[in-house]
Amino acid sequence: MIHSLFLVNASGDIFLEKHWKSVVSRSVCDYFFEAQERATEPENVPPVIPTPHHYLISVLRHRIYFVAVIQSEVPPLFVIEFLHRVVDTFQDYFGVCTEAAIKDNVVVVYELLEEMLDNGFPLATESNILKELIKPPTILRTMVNTITGSTNVGEQLPTGQLSVVPWRRTGVKYTNNEAYFDVVEEIDAIIDKSGSTITAEIQGVIDACVKLTGMPDLTLSFMNPRLLDDVSFHPCVRFKRWEAERILSFIPPDGNFRLLSYHVSSQNLVAIPVYVKHNITFREGSSQGRFDLTLGPKQTMGKAVESVLVSSQLPRGVLNTNLNPSQGTYTFDPVTKLLTWDVGKINPQKLPSLKGSMSLQAGASKPDENPTINIQFKIQQMAISGLKVNRLDMYGEKYKPFKGIKYMTKAGKFQVRT
Amino acid sequence: TTNSGIFSVLRNEDLKEMLESSKESLKLEAMKRIVGLIAKGKNASELFPAVVKNVASKNIELKKLVYVYLVRYAEEQQDLALLSISTFQRALKDPNQLIRASALRVLSSIRVPIIVPIMMLAIKEAATDLSPYVRKTSAHAIQKLYSLDPEQKEQLIEVIEKLLKDKSTLVAGSVVMAFEEVCPDRIDLIHKNYRKLCNLLVDVEEWGQVVIISMLTRYARTQFTSPWKEGATFDENNEKAFYDSEEEKKDQVEAKPYVMDPDHRLLLRNTKPLLQSRNTAVVMSVAQLYWHLAPKHEVSVVTKSLVRLLRSHREVQYIVLQNIATMSIQRKGMFEPYMKSFYVRSTDATHIKTLKLEILTNLANEANISTILREFQTYVKSQDKAFAAATIQAIGRCATNISEVTDTCLNGLVLLLSNRDETVVAESVVVIKKLLQMQPTQHCEIIKHMAKLFDNITVSMARASILWLIGEYCERVPKIAPDVLRKMAKSFTAEEDIVKLQTVNLAAKLYLTNSKQTKLLTQYILNLGKYDQNYDIRDRTRFIRQLIVPNEKSGALSKYARRILLAPKPAPVLESAFKDRDRFQLGTLSHSLNIKATGYLELSDWPAVAPDQSVRNVEVIEPVKEWAPSVGKAKPPKQDDKFYSDSGEDDHEEEEGEEGSESSSSEDSSSSSSDSSSSEGLSFCVCIWVNIPTFGPVKSHELLHHMTGKGLSARYHFPRQPCLYQPNMVAVQVTLTNGSDHSLEEIHIGDRSPASLNLHCFNTIERLEPEASVTVSMGIDFSDSTQAANFQLCTKDDQFSVSIQPAVGELLMPSSMTEQDFCKEQGKLLGMNETSATITLAAENSSSQSLSKQVLSVANVGVVSSSENNIHRFAGRTVSSGALVLVTAESRESSTALLTINTDKSIMASMLLRDLKQALAQA
């Protein structure tokens, strides 16, 4: 299916190539570079590009294009999903997935890619199996390896690949047995000029970090499972149990994994935790524009709104800004016209504001559109949908694990049109 | 971090030296650098002889890196590559399955034609390997050999045929992949494996699921009849209209009752849970399966999941939106409730924005158009001008499709003509032109307005459009048209080519309608055109002149000049770029590109008459296995609820290295259908599915009350799993709870009585906190007697005597056998080995379903599929000695039943009979 993979950086250099079948010349990427040149933004390169003899399917992450070369019909999502899995694996192994990290670990990268695909068909993509096969590099291990000449490749053979619980490695041992679950909800919203909500929805995930000895069998139940409208599971979750009892029952992978992602049913009204008062005006014939923005909390159930970050793409005609933040710092990049304001925490007694003027290109006509404002924020210890975990139980092992559940609400794609 | 940047410093000579040294660490370092070179795309082929020597290294990492190198360069260095072959041939015989698999993997990846026979042999051998993992590798190798030497096709198909029969979930995805690559047209190979593939599907790894679902979609389109109503088209609007006339509807229903093939239903049912997969490719493949195979009213189950995928990465959104765009043309209703999910955000990439716009336009109808247009107003102002232009096109489409808003849209577009941005104005002109062409009569005012704007518009496409409009409708704007022509005559030489062409057109049309005013102007323009640099314009001018200006040379054509130039022209149709995209199977590369990709396999039309259904029937003769709880019904619900197969079962399988995975509940349902007709088979398997949740919780019994246990309480139940410790033991699960206010330490099992009691204790529980509880499992060999097992449950400070008294039904293990085998065995156990009684059934138990349920709740036996409706057969073996226990329940008239038990354990038989009687007689 997947013939070859090329890794291309932002400046258009191929810095890694891997072939699973006969070698495909790297000149095939010329078609990709053409598309890259045509695109105004890096994100605008089309994910699927036909060439006379091949098809190029690419994903862009961490400013690296992962370009897969395909020779015949294959579901494009199959390739895209796989490429994202590759990126996730690299991130998991090296902490970051940058060009430098990949170049530094080129041997591990190659060993991983070799295990992940056989003849272009995915073979081992589970992080637990891969880690049995190839140990992730750590500073200590790299040093030891250099001195003693020992290897990253696991000495024992990967039994996980053969088991019916392929996502969990065998023989896991911990002195402290812990299971942590993070319920993270994101609010996607579009707020219109007048402050009314055009669309708002809540998407949530439960990310787990499970470090338990042996083969634990966990069940997790919710106080209000009805809130979950649409869910997708890690393969470890027993689907029928969920269907029948609304209980998550699973043998967890070892380490970090995403147990569940869900969508909160759209019938429930979504609480919008922040409001924005704005007054952004450009006047015809004037070289000055006014910018006035105030943020305030709303429907937060008494919790603080933190890590607030406001960003906005100002119209091309804006040359510079002269703004005054009541708190935090703001920057304006005159080249990209991107305004960012790192607000920090919202104090309900003293609302943060950003006020001042914008200087416009002399003689240019006033911009048609007022900029859209993107807001990021975090609210700790609260899931905005009201979802609550009822209990977490463990079977199959005798020890008593330490269990922890954390809630958080974040802004997803939260936009205010002005 | 050590090996970066050094590559370039070391030359090939140094690397060769390192490879030939005696130190492992130097060799490894050299190989790492060589892999670095390969990764960069540098040529390292001249090191081949030095590298290949290390192919048999003991160091696993070194060996793996040599493999990487070998696979990369073997094609170029065929002779040298042959040196390594014997190493792999040896490894193919290794006792360790993973080494065998890895040897086959590398051997088959070496693209050297000489070794084709060796590869063929290795594949054939691996296909019958005991390890499913090796068989999986052989399925992968099939494709490699096929691409190396297509001549081997026939032999490879034989291997595929063999592997398709494999019951292991590990193999299924890989062999279907090989099938798709080598012989996708041989659907006859699928028939016998169809039901098995459907049933295995949830347990197959995610990538395999995608491949299998895609293959089964094609298969189903050749084997089943259309579930879509005859005469009803895809368009649901038409469908609505169709239902308006009641009579017609009745006719339709009477004319053709459609009954879905149970196998068709099986596929739909077994793929549905996969919509919850985290893998977006799996979700998409199920969605396309429903789109192409499900009855119209069922397709909408996929909507929610598709919309969910829009939260994923940009590239995923792109593909999913493309598919939704195609779907939403035919089925507005599917996505209309989710309209807001397609609202554009300023941060979306342009191609995502355009696709969302496309979908919103497809979803527009009388009811939601005002909301959509309001949303579009925001988009028109977008700073992304390409997107603003696409929005104007979209408004144009809404205006043509929904006549109620045509005027509103047109007015809105006219307002946009005074927009400052040129692209917006230009696009508006083009769209207005198209709209006016549909109903020019009412819109003289707009044409006049556009003529006024003409001087300020610089985009050539827009200028050309206005000129064309004025020319086409010059008789409706008789005063303005000649004036525009006058202006154009002035600026002709400075215009773009398309504008010049339209000027010539305008001149010609005016000459025909209003020659008095425009004769000279036209002459002038035609003269300018005659000497234009562009030959298109020169050609056109020459042609027009001959056509409109009569002279002696001009032939008959000029008589028709008016009819040629001023013929009424059909209005352009504004339609979606995704119309008819569904000629390609959704989710495919071809669909995404809208061109047929290499290797695309057509989806056939439904057959008018279904081919023989019985080809999918399978004769299954299951070997009798002592440990396998082979019938789903007999298992307690906890195991059956699993998303994946019972782990206990399969662990066991690995130990034995037996061929194929053992039957799971769902598989049995398919085998049972082989005896009866296939529709009956289905209803049978439906009842299994329904049965499982109603089976209820396992009975648990008290072992120690917390009052007597000084706070420690214990309950036990029989999980009915094969015991992991010893096969002749019965598995027991004990739940210990600390009800006291202090933690209990060192909970363990002490003395037992009788002292000979064979008991597998649980490990000592070091500490049990107050309120905490823990479940442990133990194994007890009851020696096929219901005598209680007595032992002491001890904590650090106390000892409590407890006893576990098993019901006779718990001393059995289900045994699977066919009806014939059952009767044969029963024949051997007659006379004093037979116990029977006639009993009266409680009203609730008179149905065959509830009767089986009751029997299964009493005894851990397996259901034997029966060809007679009124006879139910169950088979089991005693756990300890493995003696057969056969139960037959024959329901008779007036809710009585004859129970017969055949076994040589007569005491057990009578006890079991008593228990069964009790259970069946009571409600």
Side-chain angles (χ1 to χ4, degrees):
Chain A
M1 292 191 144
I2 297 172
H3 225 92
S4 303
L5 176 69
F6 293 96
L7 266 52
V8 177
N9 64 18
S11 43
D13 300 323
I14 301 170
F15 65 92
L16 186 123
E17 64 180 69
K18 168 93 182 102
H19 309 273
W20 284 272
K21 302 184 184 188
S22 298
V23 177
V24 177
S25 158
R26 53 166 66 194
S27 64
V28 75
C29 291
D30 291 349
Y31 295 97
F32 180 81
F33 298 140
E34 259 172 47
Q36 201 182 3
E37 253 167 56
R38 236 176 290 132
T40 45
E41 301 281 328
E43 288 81 22
N44 285 348
V45 178
V48 185
I49 301 170
T51 80
H53 300 289
H54 299 92
Y55 304 94
L56 305 177
I57 299 184
S58 64
V59 306
L60 170 68
R61 272 179 74 183
H62 308 287
R63 307 182 59 212
I64 299 171
Y65 291 99
F66 293 74
V67 186
V69 183
I70 311 298
Q71 209 155 36
S72 61
E73 177 63 65
V74 56
L77 266 189
F78 186 99
V79 182
I80 288 169
E81 176 81 27
F82 175 80
L83 291 176
H84 281 299
R85 236 22 111 70
V86 170
V87 181
D88 294 341
T89 308
F90 288 174
Q91 214 167 358
D92 193 21
Y93 264 75
F94 314 130
V96 285
C97 181
T98 57
E99 185 180 347
I102 291 173
K103 279 180 169 170
D104 284 351
N105 296 291
V106 70
V107 174
V108 179
V109 164
Y110 240 66
E111 284 166 348
L112 283 171
L113 291 176
E114 189 69 26
E115 294 299 340
M116 291 180 86
L117 282 183
D118 181 14
N119 195 37
F121 189 76
L123 193 62
T125 51
E126 283 297 334
S127 136
N128 269 252
I129 293 181
L130 286 170
K131 283 189 175 158
E132 260 188 299
L133 289 164
I134 300 147
K135 294 193 196 104
T138 60
I139 293 173
L140 183 68
R141 187 168 307 122
T142 317
M143 271 167 52
V144 172
N145 287 357
T146 330
I147 298 163
T148 63
S150 57
T151 71
N152 288 326
V153 173
E155 288 294 333
Q156 94 235 61
L157 294 154
T159 44
Q161 216 159 354
L162 308 172
S163 97
V164 281
V165 194
W167 53 85
R168 187 172 177 87
R169 58 193 185 95
T170 47
V172 183
K173 275 208 180 89
Y174 289 101
T175 39
N176 294 321
N177 287 293
E178 315 164 305
Y180 298 104
F181 293 84
D182 289 356
V183 180
V184 182
E185 295 193 336
E186 291 193 356
I187 307 174
D188 285 358
I190 303 178
I191 312 287
D192 80 356
K193 228 179 217 167
S194 59
S196 54
T197 310
I198 294 182
T199 155
E201 49 190 358
I202 302 172
Q203 317 276 347
V205 295
I206 300 184
D207 283 335
C209 176
V210 177
K211 295 182 174 172
L212 297 175
T213 307
M215 271 288 165
D217 198 335
L218 303 180
T219 59
L220 189 146
S221 62
F222 298 100
M223 306 278 263
N224 37 10
R226 285 202 183 172
L227 280 174
L228 308 182
D229 180 36
D230 181 45
V231 283
S232 78
F233 301 117
H234 189 276
C236 70
V237 177
R238 294 170 179 114
F239 180 69
K240 285 185 186 157
R241 187 93 191 267
W242 170 258
E243 285 283 273
E245 301 168 61
R246 299 277 140 175
I247 285 176
L248 294 174
S249 159
F250 54 99
I251 294 174
D254 183 44
N256 294 311
F257 66 102
R258 175 155 295 173
L259 177 65
L260 168 83
S261 34
Y262 60 88
H263 180 262
V264 175
S265 70
S266 40
Q267 282 93 328
N268 296 48
L269 274 179
V270 178
I272 302 291
V274 290
Y275 70 86
V276 181
K277 274 204 286 195
H278 52 83
N279 184 9
I280 301 171
T281 49
F282 305 98
R283 257 179 305 136
E284 195 68 67
S286 159
S287 63
Q288 290 280 308
R290 256 184 63 198
F291 190 99
D292 187 341
L293 200 71
T294 309
L295 294 175
K298 182 174 134 183
Q299 296 174 300
T300 62
M301 297 167 207
K303 300 275 190 319
V305 184
E306 298 168 63
S307 312
V308 182
L309 184 79
V310 175
S311 63
S312 179
Q313 182 76 48
L314 296 187
R316 253 170 244 134
V318 177
L319 289 180
N320 215 335
T321 57
N322 180 18
L323 305 177
N324 215 348
S326 70
Q327 70 179 69
T329 50
Y330 98 95
T331 55
F332 175 71
D333 183 341
V335 181
T336 59
K337 315 290 181 197
L338 187 70
L339 172 85
T340 48
W341 175 29
D342 189 350
V343 184
K345 194 169 164 177
I346 296 182
N347 177 359
Q349 267 71 50
K350 194 176 161 292
L351 297 179
S353 65
L354 181 67
K355 291 178 186 172
S357 62
M358 299 173 283
S359 51
L360 305 173
Q361 212 162 0
S365 53
K366 110 182 168 69
D368 297 320
E369 190 195 31
N370 275 344
T372 311
I373 295 165
N374 297 300
I375 302 177
Q376 289 167 40
F377 56 79
K378 270 183 200 163
I379 304 169
Q380 303 282 359
Q381 296 162 9
M382 177 179 80
I384 195 95
S385 69
L387 186 75
K388 269 221 141 52
V389 171
N390 182 21
R391 50 183 301 148
L392 174 70
D393 296 299
M394 186 183 76
Y395 303 94
E397 291 292 336
K398 295 175 187 86
Y399 54 84
K400 200 167 181 320
F402 185 82
K403 303 176 273 193
I405 289 169
K406 219 168 71 183
Y407 298 91
M408 185 159 63
T409 298
K410 288 203 291 194
K413 295 173 184 163
F414 196 100
Q415 297 200 331
V416 181
R417 293 176 179 167
T418 65
Chain B
T1 47
T2 50
N3 30 17
S4 70
I6 315 171
F7 305 127
S8 48
V9 184
L10 282 161
R11 264 177 289 137
N12 283 351
E13 284 310 310
D14 305 320
L15 289 171
K16 223 177 263 178
E17 211 166 284
M18 286 166 84
L19 284 169
E20 270 152 19
S21 86
S22 54
K23 276 195 192 158
E24 288 277 273
S25 60
L26 270 181
K27 288 181 178 184
L28 188 59
E29 195 53 40
M31 276 319 294
K32 285 185 175 174
R33 288 174 188 178
I34 293 168
V35 167
L37 290 175
I38 296 175
K40 276 186 178 172
K42 299 259 161 64
N43 188 359
S45 63
E46 65 176 75
L47 293 164
F48 203 97
V51 174
V52 80
K53 278 179 204 158
N54 293 304
V55 72
S57 168
K58 289 272 180 300
N59 181 316
I60 294 187
E61 185 166 27
L62 179 60
K63 192 153 75 175
K64 281 198 172 173
L65 295 179
V66 173
Y67 287 177
V68 169
Y69 182 92
L70 196 60
V71 171
R72 170 71 179 73
Y73 286 114
E75 218 170 353
E76 297 173 23
Q77 307 264 351
Q78 306 216 349
D79 292 342
L80 286 169
L82 294 177
L83 296 175
S84 64
I85 303 300
S86 62
T87 317
F88 299 121
Q89 282 179 303
R90 223 172 305 131
L92 284 171
K93 302 265 185 280
D94 196 281
N96 185 315
Q97 47 175 337
L98 289 154
I99 292 177
R100 289 200 300 279
S102 131
L104 180 60
R105 225 187 118 183
V106 184
L107 180 72
S108 55
S109 299
I110 297 174
R111 288 170 294 275
V112 178
I114 298 180
I115 64 162
V116 163
I118 299 177
M119 275 166 77
M120 194 68 202
L121 203 67
I123 290 173
K124 279 184 177 165
E125 228 158 77
T128 56
D129 199 288
L130 288 180
S131 150
Y133 186 64
V134 176
R135 298 200 298 276
K136 180 189 180 76
T137 318
S138 83
H140 286 207
I142 290 173
Q143 307 163 54
K144 300 184 209 171
L145 180 52
Y146 179 65
S147 65
L148 183 65
D149 183 8
E151 299 268 290
Q152 304 295 320
K153 187 171 175 179
E154 288 313 312
Q155 285 196 61
L156 288 173
I157 292 178
E158 279 169 33
V159 185
I160 290 175
E161 192 172 2
K162 194 178 295 163
L163 284 173
L164 275 171
K165 295 195 182 109
D166 206 303
K167 283 179 185 160
S168 164
T169 51
L170 267 176
V171 183
S174 303
V175 64
V176 171
M177 189 64 227
F179 170 86
E180 292 280 82
E181 207 107 314
V182 179
C183 52
D185 45 345
R186 288 288 304 273
I187 49 162
D188 56 298
L189 298 181
I190 303 301
H191 293 322
K192 290 269 181 255
N193 301 297
Y194 174 84
R195 289 178 195 154
K196 181 195 70 194
L197 285 172
C198 288
N199 287 322
L200 284 183
L201 199 55
V202 281
D203 292 334
V204 174
E205 40 81 37
E206 20 186 19
W207 310 107
Q209 286 172 346
V210 178
V211 176
I212 296 176
I213 291 172
S214 153
M215 187 275 288
L216 289 178
T217 310
R218 268 190 311 118
Y219 176 87
R221 283 288 280 260
T222 63
Q223 298 300 315
F224 307 129
T225 50
S226 168
W228 306 329
K229 278 179 231 83
E230 287 292 318
T233 54
F234 229 179
D235 197 332
E236 55 180 20
N237 299 333
N238 287 2
E239 221 165 343
K240 258 181 233 157
F242 168 78
Y243 280 129
D244 284 344
S245 59
E246 286 262 310
E247 282 167 45
E248 251 185 290
K249 183 183 163 187
K250 269 184 209 154
D251 284 351
Q252 199 67 39
V253 174
E254 278 161 10
K256 202 156 198 179
Y258 165 77
V259 182
M260 186 183 274
D261 187 312
D263 285 327
H264 189 171
R265 176 52 68 200
L266 178 73
L267 177 60
L268 291 173
R269 193 181 45 228
N270 284 8
T271 46
K272 194 177 161 196
L274 298 179
L275 285 171
Q276 254 65 49
S277 171
R278 65 165 172 177
N279 187 315
T280 59
V282 174
V283 177
M284 187 66 234
S285 68
V286 178
Q288 68 82 24
L289 180 133
Y290 264 75
W291 179 259
H292 292 293
L293 299 181
K296 290 286 154 61
H297 59 277
E298 285 177 40
V299 181
S300 48
V301 301
V302 307
T303 313
K304 220 187 254 180
S305 308
L306 284 178
V307 173
R308 183 186 72 229
L309 298 190
L310 298 179
R311 282 279 301 173
S312 190
H313 298 285
R314 176 184 63 96
E315 300 84 6
V316 174
Q317 288 180 37
Y318 177 71
I319 304 293
V320 174
L321 286 170
Q322 282 187 324
N323 284 287
I324 293 180
T326 302
M327 293 179 171
S328 60
I329 291 177
Q330 290 172 358
R331 303 289 303 275
K332 275 184 213 241
M334 260 175 87
F335 294 97
E336 213 199 315
Y338 296 89
M339 194 174 81
K340 289 186 172 176
S341 304
F342 304 106
Y343 279 10
V344 173
R345 290 161 198 281
S346 60
T347 41
D348 288 333
T350 305
H351 52 250
I352 299 290
K353 287 180 184 164
T354 330
L355 281 168
K356 284 185 172 176
L357 195 63
E358 175 72 40
I359 294 167
L360 286 174
T361 316
N362 290 342
L363 294 182
N365 59 24
E366 287 86 351
N368 60 26
I369 184 67
S370 57
T371 323
I372 289 185
L373 284 178
R374 205 176 313 130
E375 187 65 16
F376 281 0
Q377 274 169 20
T378 323
Y379 303 165
V380 168
K381 286 187 269 174
S382 166
Q383 291 174 34
D384 183 344
K385 291 305 165 199
F387 171 59
T391 307
I392 294 167
Q393 290 278 4
I395 295 174
R397 261 179 62 203
C398 291
T400 39
N401 296 342
I402 302 162
S403 52
E404 282 89 339
V405 292
T406 312
D407 287 340
T408 326
C409 290
L410 206 47
N411 290 337
L413 290 171
V414 171
L415 283 180
L416 284 177
L417 290 176
S418 35
N419 195 291
R420 256 182 310 274
D421 189 89
E422 213 160 68
T423 32
V424 172
V425 177
E427 203 65 40
S428 309
V429 169
V430 175
V431 174
I432 289 173
K433 182 204 116 185
K434 289 180 182 167
L435 287 180
L436 289 188
Q437 213 180 329
M438 285 176 230
Q439 38 194 175
T441 39
Q442 307 102 319
H443 298 296
C444 295
E445 286 310 308
I446 294 173
I447 299 176
K448 280 180 197 157
H449 182 71
M450 285 168 75
K452 270 180 216 153
L453 286 171
F454 186 73
D455 294 343
N456 299 324
I457 292 174
T458 54
V459 176
S460 49
M461 186 61 204
R463 285 175 77 83
S465 294
I466 296 178
L467 289 176
W468 183 89
L469 260 182
I470 295 172
E472 191 65 19
Y473 306 113
C474 53
E475 286 165 300
R476 294 209 176 78
V477 283
K479 289 193 179 134
I480 291 170
D483 193 49
V484 172
L485 188 65
R486 180 185 60 78
K487 285 184 196 160
M488 285 315 295
K490 258 201 225 165
S491 63
F492 187 84
T493 47
E495 297 289 349
E496 293 272 334
D497 292 346
I498 44 166
V499 184
K500 285 179 180 169
L501 285 175
Q502 288 308 328
T503 311
V504 173
N505 270 349
L506 173 65
K509 286 171 185 169
L510 279 175
Y511 184 88
L512 291 175
T513 54
N514 185 2
S515 59
K516 213 187 203 173
Q517 272 185 301
T518 58
K519 194 172 178 180
L520 286 173
L521 275 172
T522 307
Q523 297 274 1
Y524 176 67
I525 286 168
L526 289 178
N527 279 334
L528 286 177
K530 191 175 174 184
Y531 300 106
D532 198 88
Q533 285 188 324
N534 185 299
Y535 52 77
D536 255 357
I537 294 166
R538 293 199 300 273
D539 270 1
R540 178 75 63 93
T541 315
R542 207 166 295 138
F543 165 70
I544 294 285
R545 191 192 289 277
Q546 293 302 319
L547 189 63
I548 59 171
V549 186
N551 57 23
E552 59 275 21
K553 264 189 248 164
S554 67
L557 214 54
S558 62
K559 270 184 259 167
Y560 302 104
R562 205 187 159 86
R563 275 164 73 184
I564 290 170
L565 285 172
L566 289 169
K569 298 171 183 70
V573 189
L574 297 174
E575 61 185 16
S576 166
F578 285 83
K579 194 169 182 281
D580 297 331
R581 267 279 175 114
D582 81 324
R583 64 199 158 112
F584 295 115
Q585 187 174 354
L586 292 192
T588 59
L589 185 61
S590 304
H591 174 267
S592 196
L593 293 169
N594 202 19
I595 41 171
K596 198 167 166 180
T598 327
Y600 173 74
L601 299 165
E602 291 286 346
L603 209 54
S604 74
D605 272 334
W606 298 102
V609 182
D612 185 11
Q613 302 180 354
S614 66
V615 290
R616 284 181 291 276
N617 290 349
V618 204
E619 287 297 330
V620 179
I621 298 146
E622 290 278 334
V624 178
K625 291 191 193 72
E626 294 184 21
W627 51 270
S630 54
V631 175
K633 281 185 183 177
K635 285 195 248 171
K638 213 179 142 195
Q639 268 80 47
D640 252 356
D641 284 352
K642 287 187 179 179
F643 204 40
Y644 39 87
S645 338
D646 188 337
S647 53
E649 230 177 310
D650 283 42
D651 283 348
H652 197 97
E653 176 206 312
E654 267 168 46
E655 286 156 29
E656 299 204 342
E658 251 185 71
E659 201 178 337
S661 96
E662 302 314 322
S663 54
S664 65
S665 63
S666 38
E667 230 168 277
D668 242 56
S669 61
S670 69
S671 65
S672 65
S673 57
S674 60
D675 311 65
S676 46
S677 89
S678 58
S679 71
E680 266 175 0
L682 186 85
S683 65
F684 181 64
C685 83
V686 169
C687 85
I688 289 188
W689 278 66
V690 178
N691 244 345
I692 295 156
T694 61
F695 198 60
V698 186
K699 263 178 252 165
S700 98
H701 314 271
E702 182 149 278
L703 187 61
L704 179 65
H705 191 265
H706 70 96
M707 295 302 281
T708 41
K710 297 186 184 168
L712 176 69
S713 66
R715 297 186 69 80
Y716 69 93
H717 71 269
F718 298 96
R720 292 189 174 183
Q721 285 168 323
C723 182
L724 297 171
Y725 313 111
Q726 276 177 36
N728 56 351
M729 284 184 171
V730 176
V732 183
Q733 285 197 342
V734 182
T735 307
L736 298 157
T737 310
N738 183 356
S740 69
D741 51 3
H742 56 276
S743 59
L744 296 168
E745 294 180 354
E746 288 177 33
I747 303 173
H748 63 279
I749 289 177
D751 296 338
R752 53 197 83 167
S753 87
S756 63
L757 178 66
N758 190 2
L759 188 83
H760 189 282
C761 311
F762 53 87
N763 294 345
T764 303
I765 298 162
E766 294 302 338
R767 199 179 168 84
L768 190 63
E769 299 295 335
E771 300 297 315
S773 74
V774 62
T775 303
V776 292
S777 53
M778 51 193 289
I780 304 172
D781 182 1
F782 287 105
S783 312
D784 292 347
S785 87
T786 51
Q787 201 183 2
N790 300 310
F791 54 91
Q792 294 200 305
L793 195 59
C794 312
T795 64
K796 196 177 178 189
D797 315 304
D798 295 295
Q799 301 184 340
F800 311 104
S801 295
V802 293
S803 77
I804 292 181
Q805 168 105 47
V808 64
E810 304 296 345
L811 300 176
L812 304 176
M813 287 298 266
S815 168
S816 77
M817 56 177 70
T818 59
E819 201 176 349
Q820 292 94 322
D821 287 343
F822 186 95
C823 296
K824 209 170 88 192
E825 293 294 336
Q826 200 176 26
K828 293 183 198 160
L829 293 165
L830 295 175
M832 63 179 290
N833 291 331
E834 187 174 272
T835 319
S836 65
T838 308
I839 55 162
T840 316
L841 297 174
E844 295 92 312
N845 296 332
S846 54
S847 80
S848 60
Q849 259 189 54
S850 53
L851 193 140
S852 313
K853 205 173 107 184
Q854 285 294 349
V855 173
L856 292 174
S857 74
V858 169
N860 189 14
V861 287
V863 181
V864 176
S865 57
S866 165
S867 55
E868 291 143 291
N869 271 337
N870 58 337
I871 300 183
H872 305 272
R873 297 187 171 89
F874 308 89
R877 281 176 187 271
T878 61
V879 172
S880 192
S881 63
L884 266 181
V885 178
L886 306 173
V887 180
T888 318
E890 190 182 344
S891 45
R892 302 232 169 125
E893 280 152 35
S894 63
S895 64
T896 57
L898 176 68
L899 271 179
T900 312
I901 298 173
N902 300 76
T903 177
D904 54 8
K905 300 265 172 188
S906 51
I907 302 171
M908 286 184 90
S910 58
M911 290 169 84
L912 186 59
L913 191 64
R914 188 195 62 204
D915 288 359
L916 285 172
K917 232 178 184 173
Q918 209 173 5
L920 291 169
Q922 68 177 219

